[in-house]
Amino acid sequence: MSIVEQISCPHCGAPIDFKPGEILATCKYCGYTAVVETGQTFTFEHSMIMNRFDLQTVEEPIHGWMSSGFLKPGDLARKSKISEKNLVYLPFWVVSIEVASTYKGVFERLTPAVVKEGKLEKQYDWLVLARKATEFPTREYEVPLEGKIPYDFRKIEGFAKVFNSEVDRTEAVEIAEQQIDDQHKFLLSEDVDKIIEFKSDYKVEQTVYLHSPVWFVNYEYKGKVYQLLVDGARGTAIKGDMPSTGF
Ligand SMILES: [Zn+2]
């Protein structure tokens, strides 16, 4: 069991539970988000994406995923048993950022090799998962940001779990910058074979703390348990483990 600690909600005074490592904690009685360390109100934008499914209706996208695609066993939908369905509001930071990477590199596919210079400029709403130990394929997940509303605790289902943030805003921005640099270096590998200089300038426009609904589903097929993650806003599969078809 993890140790649970408490602070008082800066808004309604109710106890807010948090676990070691959590940096922001949201009051389940009034929806206020507090900074654990100081006990003060979190002053940045806190948003959420609404979930569209309940424990029954979520079976529809689950079965839809099971019965589509070539790589799955043909009897997957028929023979599987859903053993767990947990709705979790996962915390993310959405870092809206402009990044300009200037680079110099060697293009070695020609003889003689040529030195190329350039600049890569892009704008992102970069998603950073605000949990450290939670396994989640953030890069394969596209948050439907157009459905973003201010965080409203009344819209959180009683059976759902809301995870607190383990990553503060500064760290989230650093993670985003690092991941974007990696992405830019990957994009540059089209253009140069060896990077000799690389530097990025970042302009952070906005950071939003966001809770987004994800269904963590376990299903059993022929005695084994597999996991499927379903986007609670769209009903699409974010990532699904599946039994091998034997080929
Ligand atoms: Zn409260």
Side-chain angles (χ1 to χ4, degrees), residues 5-160:
E5 296 178 66
Q6 277 184 348
I7 49 171
S8 293
C9 174
H11 183 246
C12 76
I16 303 181
D17 292 344
F18 67 95
K19 291 179 188 142
E22 293 183 342
I23 284 172
L24 300 176
T26 299
C27 177
K28 62 181 172 192
Y29 303 100
C30 77
Y32 257 61
T33 292
V35 180
V36 168
E37 200 180 32
T38 59
Q40 301 298 306
T41 305
F42 174 70
T43 49
F44 296 97
E45 183 181 337
H46 184 194
S47 299
M48 68 180 288
I49 304 284
M50 277 180 59
N51 164 61
R52 289 198 297 117
F53 300 91
D54 61 28
L55 287 159
Q56 275 75 50
T57 56
V58 74
E59 300 213 351
E60 200 178 301
I62 296 171
H63 283 120
W65 175 81
M66 285 175 173
S67 48
S68 64
F70 292 112
L71 295 166
K72 303 186 189 88
D75 60 358
L76 188 63
R78 223 164 355 105
K79 294 273 176 68
S80 292
K81 198 173 144 274
I82 298 166
S83 49
E84 262 189 65
K85 294 173 276 188
N86 291 309
L87 174 60
V88 177
Y89 285 83
L90 282 180
F92 294 94
W93 288 92
V94 184
V95 181
S96 300
I97 187 168
E98 265 178 42
V99 184
S101 305
T102 46
Y103 65 94
K104 194 190 259 188
V106 189
F107 188 73
E108 294 170 328
R109 277 163 272 181
L110 287 178
T111 326
V114 286
V115 172
K116 284 187 172 185
E117 283 180 69
K119 194 174 191 181
L120 191 60
E121 283 177 286
K122 285 185 181 285
Q123 203 281 331
Y124 299 98
D125 290 320
W126 197 265
L127 195 63
V128 176
L129 179 66
R131 296 291 290 186
K132 295 196 164 161
T134 307
E135 291 266 336
F136 187 76
T138 310
R139 294 277 76 80
E140 284 151 64
Y141 176 52
E142 213 185 298
V143 174
L145 286 175
E146 64 282 0
K148 182 167 76 73
I149 57 164
Y151 186 84
D152 183 348
F153 74 104
R154 287 161 297 198
K155 299 210 158 73
I156 302 284
E157 299 80 353
F159 61 86

